[in-house]
Amino acid sequence: MISIKQIWENILIEIQAKVTALAYDSWITDLKPICIHNDSIVLICESKAKKSVVENRYSDIICESCKKILPNLSGVLFILPEEKEHFEQINEEPIDNVNSENIIIGEENNLFSPKCTFGNFIIGKSNEFAAAASKAVAQNPGIKYNPLFIYGGVGLGKTHLLNAIGNHIKKTKPKLKCLYTSCERFTNELIEALRGSRYNDEMKEFRKKYRSLDCLMIDDIQFISKTVSTQEELFHTFNDLYYQDKQIIICSDRPPQEIVPLEERLRTRFQGGVVADIVAPDLETRIAILQSEALTEKQNIDDEILKLIANKVPTNIREMKGVLTKIICFAQLTDKNVNDMDLINSALKEYNEDKAEIVDIDKIVDCVCRYYPNVTKADLIGKKKNKEIIEPRQMCVYLVTEFLSMPLLAIGQYFGGRDHTTIMYTRDKIAHLSQTEPKISAQIKDIKAMILGK
Ligand code: ADP
Ligand code: MG
């Protein structure tokens, strides 16, 4: 059964889209859902003053948003904390008639995004290990690959895989309790529970929720808060589940060793299972993803056009899919064929404009940083010598020598005062690797495409 909290979280997403950030933070975030009573959702307001503002200014928006998720709802009832008791006895009215289409990602009891399955996850070299490990986990949660740690840049399919695992488990082992949560949400809930003794044993509830799971997925763990209590709670949650052979899956935009600050004992735990990375997909995979998307959208788009799009956006699948969606929308709005070249060109305009830009050293550095999302310009021109930075730095130096006819001395100066022989050595090393290592040559190709805005 869907809980009132899950419903409310989805309603909040709707409200967020309709009010300003300030209004949302000031008036909406503190509201606490209690139950549904007489077709109204009952919300606690912290104080009389807040209640009057929310009632007067936001009740229509809240009501409207609620109806998106619960179409049969007739109203909203705002109460004060001291009135809560009256509603506790009637707490358990079942929540039905939920508009599941509008629920994006749910919590307990398996509300995963139906759009993200293994069936529509295209596998290429860039993600094959992560996909295989995810499938193994989905088939046998808690058995072999525990924990599973997936990392990779933005828009490369990590959250898709989490949802695919959730959907698979839900279908094949419906009794298992799976929960997808973001690191941020985990932390917020924890903070709320820690400070929330006002509303009865919230901490107990928090622990019960997380430690009774069969599969816990935490997305974007790089946002883990520094605070001792969060890391401590996560560590205990982890241990509790792990020693009961419950599955833990964690996603991040960087490998465990680069998550700062992360307590060493948590880092060791994350590294103790399977660590799988996802990198930017090669051209074939990108085209295959677009083909699959076009098929889903029932659009007959020429492969040449798909290739054109795949070439324009090499490092972020979300962005690439966005371009395709834009083309389809343009076509529908202007009543044109999706393969109309004028239409394609205008949809790709911002990507074409890049091309006219002059390539300079900043542009190259910028593209290298976009390609390796964990690396900053300061890293590239700085002194750090860890592998995660040396590789992008060498790549960057090589690309500068390829694109610009700058003297090696000047390049050395730009890259933190390095010697010109170091620059020469780096250039030759990468040039050699580009001949012998297909992975390196593919990376060079992709970054070059970004630099040229292809
Ligand atoms: P991340 O969590 O890594 O930032 P997402 O999982 O949100 O990325 O993926 C971004 C978008 O790209 C989603 O729409 C997702 O469905 C799609 N996507 C990513 N990888 C693939 C893939 N291999 N095949 C099909 N779609 C993909
Ligand atoms: Mg994600």
Side-chain angles (χ1 to χ4, degrees):
M1 200 183 83
I2 299 171
S3 72
I4 184 81
K5 259 188 164 173
Q6 290 169 323
I7 302 251
W8 180 241
E9 267 165 15
N10 280 280
I11 294 171
L12 283 178
I13 297 174
E14 298 287 333
I15 300 175
Q16 211 167 6
K18 295 190 184 109
V19 299
T20 64
L22 191 68
Y24 184 80
D25 288 342
S26 318
W27 309 109
I28 310 293
T29 45
D30 287 341
L31 297 173
K32 233 170 171 311
I34 290 298
C35 61
I36 309 268
H37 179 56
N38 283 348
D39 289 334
S40 290
I41 185 163
V42 182
L43 301 170
I44 299 190
C45 295
E46 277 196 333
S47 65
K48 256 189 186 160
K50 275 199 169 177
K51 181 171 173 249
S52 108
V53 174
V54 175
E55 234 164 0
N56 288 330
R57 282 197 224 156
Y58 299 106
S59 61
D60 285 350
I61 289 178
I62 296 175
C63 197
E64 210 179 286
S65 306
C66 288
K67 281 184 181 159
K68 279 247 166 108
I69 307 292
L70 296 168
N72 287 358
L73 211 71
S74 58
V76 185
L77 181 63
F78 299 100
I79 61 164
L80 292 168
E82 54 267 29
E83 294 168 304
K84 187 185 165 211
E85 281 161 30
H86 304 304
F87 291 90
E88 266 171 347
Q89 288 100 33
I90 41 162
N91 214 347
E92 290 302 315
E93 273 181 51
I95 302 168
D96 43 31
N97 285 314
V98 176
N99 184 353
S100 52
E101 254 179 42
N102 284 345
I103 293 200
I104 302 170
I105 278 188
E107 281 218 316
E108 300 133 341
N109 296 340
N110 315 328
L111 284 161
F112 293 97
S113 164
K115 284 189 184 151
C116 300
T117 62
F118 286 117
N120 65 8
F121 190 79
I122 307 293
I123 296 174
K125 281 214 161 52
S126 57
N127 58 23
E128 62 185 343
F129 181 54
S134 300
K135 275 188 189 162
V137 160
Q139 277 153 11
N140 289 306
I143 309 263
K144 226 163 115 192
Y145 298 130
N146 207 12
L148 171 60
F149 189 102
I150 303 175
Y151 75 91
V154 179
L156 295 183
K158 301 180 296 293
T159 304
H160 187 129
L161 282 176
L162 289 183
N163 280 283
I165 296 172
N167 281 319
H168 185 92
I169 295 180
K170 174 180 148 191
K171 209 159 112 197
T172 53
K173 300 183 174 68
K175 290 214 172 104
L176 293 194
K177 274 172 85 180
C178 277
L179 183 136
Y180 166 97
T181 187
S182 64
C183 186
E184 204 187 348
R185 186 183 288 180
F186 179 88
T187 311
N188 288 344
E189 269 181 42
L190 175 65
I191 293 169
E192 205 180 305
L194 283 170
R195 89 155 103 90
S197 42
R198 252 180 312 161
Y199 302 120
N200 307 329
D201 301 323
E202 296 222 2
M203 201 53 217
K204 227 190 215 161
E205 220 175 84
F206 177 90
R207 294 205 168 120
K208 199 170 120 205
K209 168 176 169 182
Y210 281 97
R211 298 187 190 185
S212 64
L213 295 169
D214 297 293
C215 175
L216 170 63
M217 307 176 183
I218 305 187
D219 208 352
D220 292 321
I221 198 87
Q222 72 270 14
F223 296 126
I224 178 98
S225 130
K226 281 190 273 264
T227 52
V228 175
S229 56
T230 309
Q231 299 219 4
E232 171 114 1
E233 192 59 33
L234 181 60
F235 179 75
H236 291 304
T237 308
F238 186 105
N239 279 350
D240 225 76
L241 294 174
Y242 181 78
Y243 290 116
Q244 295 178 68
D245 286 334
K246 305 299 188 188
Q247 182 69 46
I248 299 149
I249 313 166
I250 294 180
C251 281
S252 164
D253 69 348
R254 63 200 73 179
Q257 62 271 23
E258 285 178 19
I259 301 173
V260 193
L262 186 66
E263 277 184 16
E264 203 45 42
R265 54 183 184 164
L266 266 175
R267 193 187 314 280
T268 330
R269 287 287 187 274
F270 293 166
Q271 286 169 328
V274 174
V275 179
D277 70 334
I278 305 187
V279 295
D282 56 24
L283 182 64
E284 283 75 51
T285 312
R286 300 203 298 276
I287 296 175
I289 291 171
L290 289 172
Q291 282 168 333
S292 146
E293 187 70 9
L295 199 69
T296 314
E297 296 293 325
K298 299 193 178 62
Q299 299 288 327
N300 197 352
I301 305 181
D302 287 350
D303 280 351
E304 276 311 302
I305 288 175
L306 297 179
K307 192 171 166 187
L308 193 72
I309 303 169
N311 263 319
K312 298 277 181 213
V313 199
T315 56
N316 182 331
I317 299 173
R318 183 181 302 123
E319 193 182 344
M320 184 180 75
K321 276 187 165 181
V323 172
L324 184 69
T325 309
K326 189 166 152 191
I327 290 173
I328 297 171
C329 284
F330 267 30
Q332 282 163 356
L333 288 172
T334 55
D335 220 5
K336 280 188 180 155
N337 187 296
V338 272
N339 294 305
D340 181 306
M341 262 338 271
D342 283 343
L343 176 93
I344 304 290
N345 282 331
S346 67
L348 289 174
K349 210 165 110 227
E350 59 186 292
Y351 296 90
N352 290 335
E353 274 163 5
D354 278 354
K355 222 177 185 170
E357 258 177 46
I358 317 150
V359 174
D360 58 19
I361 196 158
D362 289 329
K363 168 117 206 217
I364 298 172
V365 168
D366 195 49
C367 289
V368 171
C369 292
R370 261 168 55 210
Y371 188 78
Y372 303 97
N374 307 328
V375 175
T376 63
K377 181 178 173 188
D379 291 333
L380 290 180
I381 62 174
K383 299 263 182 256
K384 277 192 211 155
K385 288 223 164 72
N386 38 331
K387 185 166 168 274
E388 292 72 31
I389 291 169
I390 288 188
E391 272 183 24
R393 184 186 292 137
Q394 292 185 333
M395 181 64 81
C396 193
V397 166
Y398 168 78
L399 288 164
V400 170
T401 63
E402 274 270 284
F403 273 100
L404 309 174
S405 53
M406 240 167 114
L408 297 183
L409 208 69
I411 299 177
Q413 267 164 11
Y414 182 92
F415 283 95
R418 288 181 162 79
D419 205 74
H420 80 280
T421 49
T422 310
I423 302 298
M424 197 161 65
Y425 164 80
T426 305
R427 177 195 64 193
D428 296 345
K429 179 183 162 189
I430 301 293
H432 175 71
L433 286 176
S434 74
Q435 303 294 321
T436 53
E437 295 273 336
K439 203 176 144 198
I440 298 286
S441 75
Q443 284 182 8
I444 293 175
K445 228 166 89 192
D446 280 342
I447 305 174
K448 275 188 176 171
M450 280 168 80
I451 294 169
L452 293 171
K454 267 191 196 155

